[in-house]
Amino acid sequence: MDTNRVYEKLLIKLDGVGTNNIAVDKQRAVLMINEAQNKWVEYVLSPVKQDENIRYVQKLLKNETISSSTTFENIYQKFTNPPDYFEFSSILAYGSKGGCTNKKINLFEIKDQNKDEILIDDFNKPSFKYREAPFVISDDGLKIYTLGDFTLDKIILNYYRYPIQIRQIDEEDPESDFDEDFQMEFDDKIIDRIISNAVAELQMNIKDPSYQ
């Protein structure tokens, strides 16, 4: 569905729920639609909601090999997320120690608040011998704890990327035409759902006294 059609549907639905008196120019529509589709993807991927809808976002699933990292005092290696990273899916790791190279390391996620306890636990702390290491998902990447026992050479990250964000040709002009090189990539029934969510969000904002 081209972006102009998305915009037309948004205006029609706004009119249908009695909010056509609220000015929604193209600039504002871009913000509404992008926010609504990001929230929809987040909802589908949430651990408590993953169900049959997960198939609708499989096109967003990517894998990327990450070989560069920074090391913090032989405690952990940090790997930065790709620029289009949206949500974690799974991870593979390969490490080396001495002359033993390219060995698969089994990673398991931990909570940051539990790391100190885990790192001194003989059954859970990083171990090249047992090919395992804990990791924490941080704001902008992954911290994989090695405690200097081995080196991580390669990370293969499976993640969900951001959906394509619609945009205008001139983002400074509220009524600039849409850039049709950046169209929504979901099928029409999902786009309709996203438009409805955007309208519902606007309705809630209108009822909020702090809405401007």
Side-chain angles (χ1 to χ4, degrees), residues 31 74 89 169:
L31 296 175
N74 285 330
S89 178
I169 295 174

Side-chain angles (χ1 to χ4, degrees), residues 33-150:
I33 294 298
N34 285 336
E35 181 178 358
Q37 73 166 338
N38 291 345
K39 286 184 175 181
W40 179 79
V41 172
E42 184 177 33
Y43 171 75
V44 171
L45 294 177
S46 63
V48 297
K49 187 54 191 171
Q50 287 189 15
D51 55 18
E52 71 279 359
N53 284 328
I54 195 73
R55 68 182 182 271
Y56 295 125
V57 296
Q58 288 308 295
K59 66 176 65 180
L60 306 180
L61 187 61
K62 294 179 64 176
N63 69 76
E64 186 165 325
T65 300
I66 307 173
S67 57
S68 61
S69 68
T70 56
T71 302
F72 181 75
E73 296 181 353
N74 285 330
I75 297 176
Y76 63 79
Q77 286 180 246
K78 183 174 182 180
F79 295 81
T80 303
N81 288 330
D84 60 351
Y85 175 92
F86 186 89
E87 185 63 66
F88 176 85
S89 178
S90 61
I91 190 171
L92 291 175
Y94 295 87
S96 61
K97 182 177 183 178
C100 195
T101 62
N102 199 37
K103 299 300 180 180
K104 183 180 177 181
I105 307 296
N106 295 311
L107 302 180
F108 57 96
E109 184 180 358
I110 61 173
K111 300 296 184 182
D112 184 69
Q113 60 265 32
N114 299 331
K115 70 178 184 301
D116 292 337
E117 179 181 348
I118 290 172
L119 294 179
I120 61 173
D121 184 341
D122 289 337
F123 296 100
N124 289 295
K125 69 182 182 180
S127 171
F128 188 75
K129 178 180 179 180
Y130 296 109
R131 307 285 198 267
E132 62 182 15
F135 74 94
V136 170
I137 297 177
S138 61
D139 290 339
D140 58 352
L142 303 169
K143 293 178 181 178
I144 304 176
Y145 290 88
T146 65
L147 297 182
D149 185 50
F150 55 92

Side-chain angles (χ1 to χ4, degrees), residues 147-206:
L147 297 182
D149 185 50
F150 55 92
T151 300
L152 291 166
D153 303 312
K154 183 171 69 172
I155 293 294
I156 302 175
L157 176 66
N158 294 287
Y159 68 98
Y160 290 92
R161 62 170 173 81
Y162 268 90
I164 293 174
Q165 307 288 286
I166 63 173
R167 61 181 66 181
Q168 296 171 276
I169 295 174
D170 181 358
E171 296 181 351
E172 300 299 321
D173 179 2
E175 289 299 346
S176 169
D177 289 336
F178 297 113
D179 188 337
E180 293 298 350
D181 288 334
F182 298 88
Q183 294 187 15
M184 297 180 71
E185 55 192 311
F186 300 113
D187 62 36
D188 287 2
K189 65 179 177 292
I190 298 302
I191 293 176
D192 284 341
R193 193 179 304 176
I194 290 169
I195 293 171
S196 294
N197 290 346
V199 171
E201 184 79 15
L202 179 59
Q203 286 180 289
M204 286 189 293
N205 287 336
I206 292 172

Side-chain angles (χ1 to χ4, degrees), residues 6-26 28-30 32-33 192 194-206 211:
V6 173
Y7 182 52
E8 290 171 2
K9 282 196 167 190
L10 175 68
L11 296 181
I12 290 170
K13 288 198 174 186
L14 286 171
D15 184 44
V17 296
T19 56
N20 58 325
N21 59 319
I22 302 296
V24 177
D25 54 34
K26 292 181 178 179
R28 190 171 184 184
V30 165
M32 290 174 61
I33 294 298
D192 284 341
I194 290 169
I195 293 171
S196 294
N197 290 346
V199 171
E201 184 79 15
L202 179 59
Q203 286 180 289
M204 286 189 293
N205 287 336
I206 292 172
Y211 175 77

